[in-house]
Amino acid sequence: MTRIVSKFSAILRAHRTDILVLLLLSLLAVVIRFGYLAEYPNSIMHEDSGPYVDEAERLLEGRETVTGQMPGRAPGYPLFLAAIISLVSPNLLYAIGIQHLLGIGTALLLTLSLRLLGVGRVLSYGFFIAIAFAHRLIHYDNTIGAETLTVFLLSVNFLLATGMALRRWNPWACAATIGLIFGYLILVRSATFFIPFVFAFWLVLPTAKFCPDWRRRLALIALILIPPVSAVVGMIQWNKAHYNRAALSREAEPVMAFVIAYSGDFSEQGPRYEVLEKYPGFRESLKAVVEEGRATLKDDGYSTVDHYQWVFNIFNVLDLERFGSQQEKDRVVGGLFWDTVLTPHTLLGHLTGHTLRELRFMLRDSTPVANSTYP
C-alpha cells in the first residue's frame, strides 16, 4: 500500500502543472456550463428526447411496451436515464448536470490522450478549451439525448487504445475494457456498430510490437469485438422474439429513409427496385413524395427549418396497412435501401451530393448553425 501511495505521489509531482491547469479550466467549464443550464432550464428537451424519457419511465415502472411495437430508441441511454432518476432525482435537470460533467470528462480524457501521444502542453490545453467550451457541444450536453454519453464512452476507449498502442498499460486489460464499453455503446447508439471494427484493426499493427504472436493479436481483437457483436446479436434476437422484427431498433429506418429520399431514383432510368414489383403504382407515389421534398432544398442542399423532416414523409407512403405486416414493410424498405446504395449512379450521387456535404457541414458550418438554434 505504501508503494502504491508513493508511486501515485510521484505521478502527481511529475504532472502537477498539467493537473493544476486542467483543474482550473475544468472549474471554469463547470461554471459556464451550469450557468447555461440555469439560464435555459427549459431547453433540455427536443424532438428526439421524448422517446428516451418514455422508455426510461417504462423501465422504472416495469411496464411492457405495446405488443408488437418496438421501443423508440436503443435501450442503453434510457437505462442511463433510469439509473439517474432512481439513484439521484427524478428531476431531469440532474441528468443534464451529469451530462455536462461527462462533457468536461470527455475533454479531459482526450487531452490526456494527446499528452500520452507527446503533444505539447499549449496545444493540449487549447484542445481542452475547444472541447469543454465549444458552443455546439454545450448545446448538445444541455439536452436529453444519447450524444453526450456516446462521445464520453468513445473518449474512454480512445484513451485506453492510446495507452495500449504506446505499451503504457496492460494490453489484455485494455482490450477487455474497450470491448465491454463497446458492448454497452452499441446499446446506447446502435449506429456506432462499425466503430469497434475500426478500433480493433487499427490496433493490429501497434500490438505487433509487444505481441509478435499472431494468435495473441487475434485474441486481443476478439476481446474487443466479442462484446459489441454479442450485443448486436442479442438485440436482433430480442426484437425477433418480442416484436417479430430483425432490425436493431427504429434507428435503422431513418438512416434508410435518408438515403432513399435524397438519392433514390424512381424514374424509368433508375434502379429496378424489384421489391416494388408486387405493388403497382407504389413507385410513382414514392417518386412524387421525394420530388416534392427535394423541391424544398436550398442552394446549400438543406431544407428550411419548416421542412427539414420531409425525409420522413416517405413513411407516410410506406404505411403498414399497404404491406399487411411489419416484416413485409421492413423487407421493402431494406430492398429500396440496398438497391439505392448498390446501383453505381445513385451511390455516386449520394456520396458526392450528400456525404461530402455532411462532412463539410461538420467541419465548417456546424457551429454557426448550432449557435443560431440557441433559445
Side-chain angles (χ1 to χ4, degrees):
M1 184 66 181
T2 305
R3 186 178 178 182
I4 295 175
V5 173
S6 301
K7 189 174 182 179
F8 184 71
S9 299
I11 293 174
L12 291 179
R13 288 194 299 270
H15 301 282
R16 58 181 179 272
T17 301
D18 284 337
I19 295 172
L20 179 60
V21 172
L22 291 176
L23 179 60
L24 292 175
L25 289 174
S26 298
L27 291 174
L28 180 60
V30 168
V31 172
I32 291 176
R33 285 169 169 265
F34 280 79
Y36 182 88
L37 176 58
E39 183 69 19
Y40 303 111
N42 297 322
S43 67
I44 66 173
M45 301 290 289
H46 57 78
E47 65 270 16
D48 292 333
S49 301
Y52 287 123
V53 177
D54 292 342
E55 187 68 7
E57 291 178 347
R58 185 190 69 80
L59 291 170
L60 288 169
E61 297 171 5
R63 291 185 285 107
E64 291 290 336
T65 54
V66 178
T67 303
Q69 179 179 338
M70 294 183 68
R73 292 291 184 268
Y77 184 73
L79 284 170
F80 171 77
L81 276 183
I84 294 175
I85 293 172
S86 177
L87 299 175
V88 182
S89 171
N91 190 332
L92 290 178
L93 291 178
Y94 285 88
I96 296 299
I98 291 174
Q99 287 192 171
H100 278 299
L101 295 178
L102 291 179
I104 297 172
T106 296
L108 286 170
L109 290 167
L110 293 177
T111 301
L112 181 55
S113 300
L114 292 180
R115 295 293 288 137
L116 286 176
L117 290 168
V119 176
R121 284 177 176 170
V122 174
L123 288 178
S124 298
Y125 300 158
F127 183 82
F128 176 89
I129 293 171
I131 299 298
F133 298 94
H135 291 173
R136 189 179 189 218
L137 295 180
I138 294 176
H139 176 70
Y140 275 120
D141 294 344
N142 203 68
T143 56
I144 296 294
E147 288 80 5
T148 299
L149 183 58
T150 298
V151 174
F152 176 78
L153 294 174
L154 285 173
S155 66
V156 174
N157 273 0
F158 185 77
L159 175 62
L160 292 172
T162 301
M164 180 178 171
L166 296 176
R167 294 180 288 177
R168 296 289 188 93
W169 303 323
N170 185 294
W172 302 102
C174 288
T177 306
I178 289 172
L180 291 173
I181 291 175
F182 272 135
Y184 177 61
L185 181 62
I186 295 299
L187 300 179
V188 174
R189 197 79 161 183
S190 57
T192 60
F193 175 65
F194 71 95
I195 299 179
F197 293 91
V198 175
F199 262 74
F201 292 104
W202 172 63
L203 288 170
V204 169
L205 291 179
T207 54
K209 296 179 181 179
F210 51 81
C211 287
D213 186 347
W214 65 270
R215 288 169 296 187
R216 300 187 72 183
R217 295 202 299 273
L218 287 179
L220 288 171
I221 292 176
L223 281 175
I224 294 174
L225 292 184
I226 287 176
V229 171
S230 300
V232 170
V233 173
M235 289 176 67
I236 291 175
Q237 294 304 317
W238 175 271
N239 289 333
K240 282 184 177 179
H242 289 76
Y243 312 108
N244 204 18
R245 296 189 67 179
L248 295 182
S249 71
R250 287 184 183 177
E251 293 181 27
E253 283 189 349
V255 173
M256 293 183 178
F258 179 87
V259 174
I260 296 168
Y262 273 91
S263 302
D265 184 357
F266 299 100
S267 67
E268 294 181 357
Q269 294 74 34
R272 184 176 176 182
Y273 292 125
E274 295 182 3
V275 293
L276 300 181
E277 291 181 354
K278 61 184 291 188
Y279 299 103
F282 190 49
R283 187 183 186 114
E284 290 72 22
S285 299
L286 275 173
K287 180 181 178 182
V289 170
V290 298
E291 287 182 351
E292 180 182 357
R294 291 171 187 173
T296 67
L297 299 178
K298 300 179 293 183
D299 293 339
D300 61 2
Y302 292 96
S303 301
T304 61
V305 174
D306 295 335
H307 298 94
Y308 81 102
Q309 287 195 334
W310 71 269
V311 168
F312 303 111
N313 286 337
I314 70 168
F315 290 133
N316 296 330
V317 179
L318 299 173
D319 61 278
L320 191 59
E321 293 181 359
R322 181 188 293 263
F323 302 106
S325 69
Q326 186 65 58
Q327 300 95 300
E328 177 64 8
K329 178 183 176 181
D330 289 344
R331 187 187 73 85
V332 172
V333 173
L336 292 171
F337 171 78
W338 287 113
D339 283 349
T340 299
V341 299
L342 294 179
T343 301
H345 81 273
T346 50
L347 174 61
L348 181 63
H350 191 77
L351 293 176
T352 57
H354 304 295
T355 302
L356 291 179
R357 185 193 71 228
E358 291 293 329
L359 289 173
R360 184 179 69 249
F361 172 78
M362 288 189 291
L363 293 173
R364 189 187 68 182
D365 302 327
S366 59
T367 297
V369 171
N371 292 345
S372 68
T373 64
Y374 279 3

